[in-house]
Amino acid sequence: VLSRPRTRAGKPLFDGYEFADFSGARDSASQRKAIRVASARGVRKPRMVQRSMTRDTLQSETLRSLEAATNERVRLAFGRDHQFSIPVGLATEIGLRGKTWREALDSLVLGTYGGPGLAQISEFAQKFNGWLISRSRPPYFFSRTKAAYYGVPAENPRPGLADSTTYRLTELYPGPQKQYAPKPLNWIGDNGTVGGQTIVGLVLLYELLDEAQRRGIPVAVWPFDGLDINSSAYEGRHVMFEPYPSSVRDLGVRQTDWNDAEASVLYIQQADQAGELPALLDLHALTEEQRARVLFEGWIIGHRP
């Protein structure tokens, strides 16, 4: 258990901040071009952690950083810019309704829900679509520019913001930069989409939590472990968050992989140092039905209910 006590008003929750701009690319060369990690301690300016990483080396670096911080009794806020869960409507459709987030994550990764286990999106998307069609359901994944490559439709087979199989609740609420809205999970391969990196990201998230537990590294994931960051579930633990860099990056800053990683760090660092995180990370303003949904779907840090 880490040394920092439960946060009182005006005091920072965390000692350090580390966020990665992730990549769903298949080959390691493309991953090295895209994955960037920004890290900061206290009020210090974020620095780049290495320059060239694959998803495997990112995983190793994250575990190394968490283990070192634990030994130093330093508490970290960290994260990666992909969705941490699937929409509740999709979970209902594929038989995962009623499971906790961690139970559903295990089932998706291992394929114990009855469909294909999570894999590289170029393999998974067509298999998942085919499995749904075999169950008399519409296909899920689509790509407007790479449909032939992925073997998926070129148009969204499930259009509309009201479709709870494609959008999570958090994606319907605005972030600080309201003109940027997250893309739905089922949109893959096109510029700005995150469906592909989410599918591989969930596998790494599953493995990260499993390995952290094995090593005795105390990690919680907000808001799945509690809607209020001051709840006992987060005491003495590093906490993982889902960022959406475009919603917090200053409008005058060009979009790059490094700028996205840095923007994620700066947003939570500045809010924490200003004593604003407890209010930002309390979702009890949602209705009872919405709170139950968020405990399964997660929430993007900075989006306001």
Side-chain angles (χ1 to χ4, degrees):
V1 178
L2 306 181
S3 59
R4 183 174 288 277
R6 279 186 76 174
T7 301
R8 295 179 173 83
K11 294 185 179 180
L13 282 153
F14 299 98
D15 305 291
Y17 317 89
E18 189 167 295
F19 283 82
D21 194 59
F22 199 64
S23 170
R26 186 184 186 95
D27 63 284
S28 57
S30 296
Q31 292 171 32
R32 290 190 184 97
K33 291 178 182 178
I35 295 175
R36 295 291 180 268
V37 179
S39 178
R41 291 286 180 94
V43 297
R44 296 175 188 168
K45 184 178 179 181
R47 62 177 181 84
M48 186 181 295
V49 179
Q50 300 183 28
R51 171 166 280 281
S52 178
M53 286 192 189
T54 63
R55 287 195 295 271
D56 287 342
T57 55
L58 169 63
Q59 190 84 320
S60 298
E61 172 58 31
T62 301
L63 286 163
R64 184 210 62 77
S65 182
L66 289 170
E67 197 161 41
T70 302
N71 292 335
E72 297 168 19
R73 304 185 72 77
V74 168
R75 191 184 189 202
L76 297 183
F78 70 107
R80 298 169 181 175
D81 69 330
H82 60 74
Q83 296 155 334
F84 284 8
S85 184
I86 64 172
V88 71
L90 180 61
T92 300
E93 186 172 320
I94 66 176
L96 293 176
R97 189 65 184 269
K99 291 185 179 293
T100 67
W101 169 67
R102 279 179 171 79
E103 290 170 343
L105 180 61
D106 291 356
S107 191
L108 284 167
V109 171
L110 301 175
T112 56
Y113 66 98
L118 301 186
Q120 192 69 35
I121 195 66
S122 56
E123 303 167 9
F124 179 76
Q126 189 173 19
K127 286 182 180 179
F128 188 70
N129 278 3
W131 178 72
L132 287 172
I133 292 169
S134 74
R135 293 163 59 88
S136 301
R137 303 298 302 171
Y140 189 74
F141 291 105
F142 78 102
S143 177
R144 288 185 176 144
T145 63
K146 299 178 182 176
Y149 173 75
Y150 291 112
V152 299
E155 294 297 328
N156 190 353
R158 300 177 180 222
L161 285 172
D163 191 333
S164 66
T165 69
T166 57
Y167 283 96
R168 298 175 301 155
L169 185 66
T170 185
E171 290 148 4
L172 306 181
Y173 284 80
Q177 305 296 354
K178 295 180 176 59
Q179 62 267 53
Y180 292 101
K183 303 292 193 300
L185 174 64
N186 69 327
W187 191 356
I188 62 175
D190 300 334
N191 188 40
T193 60
V194 295
Q197 68 190 49
T198 290
I199 296 304
V200 294
L202 289 175
V203 177
L204 265 67
L205 177 54
Y206 165 84
E207 294 172 349
L208 177 71
L209 295 176
D210 186 63
E211 182 62 16
Q213 183 179 39
R214 191 188 70 80
R215 297 189 190 188
I217 302 171
V219 173
V221 188
W222 182 86
F224 303 104
D225 291 316
L227 298 173
D228 180 357
I229 194 63
N230 275 326
S231 69
S232 60
Y234 299 105
E235 279 193 62
R237 294 179 177 272
H238 309 292
V239 184
M240 193 171 190
F241 298 95
E242 178 188 336
Y244 177 50
S246 292
S247 73
V248 297
R249 190 181 60 250
D250 287 344
L251 292 177
V253 176
R254 186 169 63 93
Q255 194 279 321
T256 67
D257 299 314
W258 162 249
N259 285 343
D260 279 357
E262 183 183 44
S264 298
V265 166
L266 288 173
Y267 181 76
I268 194 168
Q269 178 190 39
Q270 291 169 1
D272 194 21
Q273 294 298 318
E276 298 169 356
L277 268 189
L280 185 67
L281 302 179
D282 184 353
L283 299 177
H284 282 99
L286 296 167
T287 67
E288 184 176 354
E289 181 181 354
Q290 289 172 330
R291 292 197 294 267
R293 184 173 173 180
V294 167
L295 286 170
F296 182 89
E297 289 185 336
W299 196 266
I300 298 169
I301 190 169
H303 284 218
R304 299 281 187 163

